[in-house]
Amino acid sequence: MNYLALLGSVAAILPAIIGSSLAQEKTLTGAPTIVVAHRGASGYLPEHTLEAYKMAIDMGADYIEPDLVVTKDGVLIARHEPMLSGTTDVANRPEFASRKTTRKVDGVDTTDWFASDFTLAEIKQLRAKQAMSDRDQSKNGQFQVPTLQEVIDLAKKEGAARGKAVGIAPETKHSTFHAALGLPMEDRLVNVLKEAGWADASAPVVIQSFEVANLKYLNSRIDVKLAQLLDAEDVDKDGNIVLNAPYAQPYDFVVVGDKRTYKDLLTKEGLAEVKSYADILAPWKPYILPTKQVDQNNDGKADDLNGDGKADEQDRVLAEPTSVVKDAHAAGLQVFTWTFRNEPKRLASTFKGDPAAEYKAFYALGVDGLFSDFPDTAVKAR
């Protein structure tokens, strides 16, 4: 089947990945790509709130993603980071001013308010806010921070109402950090999932981590799907992955002196190891379909393709797709990737400001799942 025909109208703007003899790749199972609502419908509402998760489910997301951190009294809550100021109004609450402190997070000194210094009752006094300043701020201050249990209850309720499972994809955030505080999260997560009846291989659950040791431990404690996340700091002008601390390695590798990087997990040996404890490889998008700068006049500077006076992400074009999806599939691993966003400034020039074109490019490469801030767009493009 002709690749151009499969991509339809998108073909004309995807020259970097289109070949007349290329057929669209299938997912590992042959099923449609899974749409995971990244922190809920976070492009529209403050992230990690029941309201954002509910909106995502209404939009047709297959899974919702609660990032998990731990409170002082040992409760798993949904926040993107242990630090609270980026996604809540904690900085505006004088009663909590004295809680601001500095801690090392993955080796980096970080000054903020930490969830681990707050009880659940105190967390419930906070209100969520939109993390990205260029998005709608009108719902700030309206929604509470939910617990993992509340997220599960919502998923079950909404799934029952629709006659189909709504899955969850919890991410264990900074496992080593929490363990050092005496608040290890893995057994807490296992216990909540077991109580929910979501602990076997058929459960609509995918547990994610950027670390390795905690996934290996979880693999011995629960039978749900596990996903190994792969991070990076950036991509260079030619689309090559750039690895610098703290984004170069799983932090548990750093602690034990293991010199391997995220790239090493993509070798044949690395993928075989990942397969020994996980079901899914979940790399950042450029590991699969990189973008590169253009320098048509050879002046040594990136061209400003859209003429807005600066060369940025919008002025990059697609490079050739890598073999990551094929290699992972050959190792028996599904591939999920992240994060998809609608804003034109977050899309490569090749996509001409059309987020659907980006989704279709990745769907054509056979990714098994993807994380989107705008799940309605992801579902429509599928």
Side-chain angles (χ1 to χ4, degrees), residues 76-90:
L76 292 168
I77 60 171
R79 284 295 90 189
H80 177 52
E81 295 286 358
M83 297 77 73
L84 297 171
S85 68
T87 61
T88 76
D89 61 358
V90 67

Side-chain angles (χ1 to χ4, degrees), residues 322-367:
T322 71
S323 65
V324 165
V325 175
K326 290 183 179 180
D327 293 345
H329 283 176
L333 290 161
Q334 290 185 298
V335 177
F336 285 33
T337 190
W338 45 277
T339 300
F340 290 77
R341 297 178 167 119
N342 279 14
E343 293 91 351
K345 74 177 186 178
R346 298 185 171 104
L347 295 170
S349 175
T350 314
F351 299 123
K352 305 296 184 185
D354 179 14
E358 183 183 36
Y359 288 109
K360 290 179 181 180
F362 279 85
Y363 291 151
L365 292 173
V367 298

Side-chain angles (χ1 to χ4, degrees), residues 276-296:
S276 74
Y277 62 84
D279 309 276
I280 298 166
L281 187 77
W284 182 36
K285 289 186 301 184
Y287 277 103
I288 295 172
L289 187 56
T291 62
K292 60 184 179 181
Q293 294 176 351
V294 176
D295 182 13
Q296 293 176 329

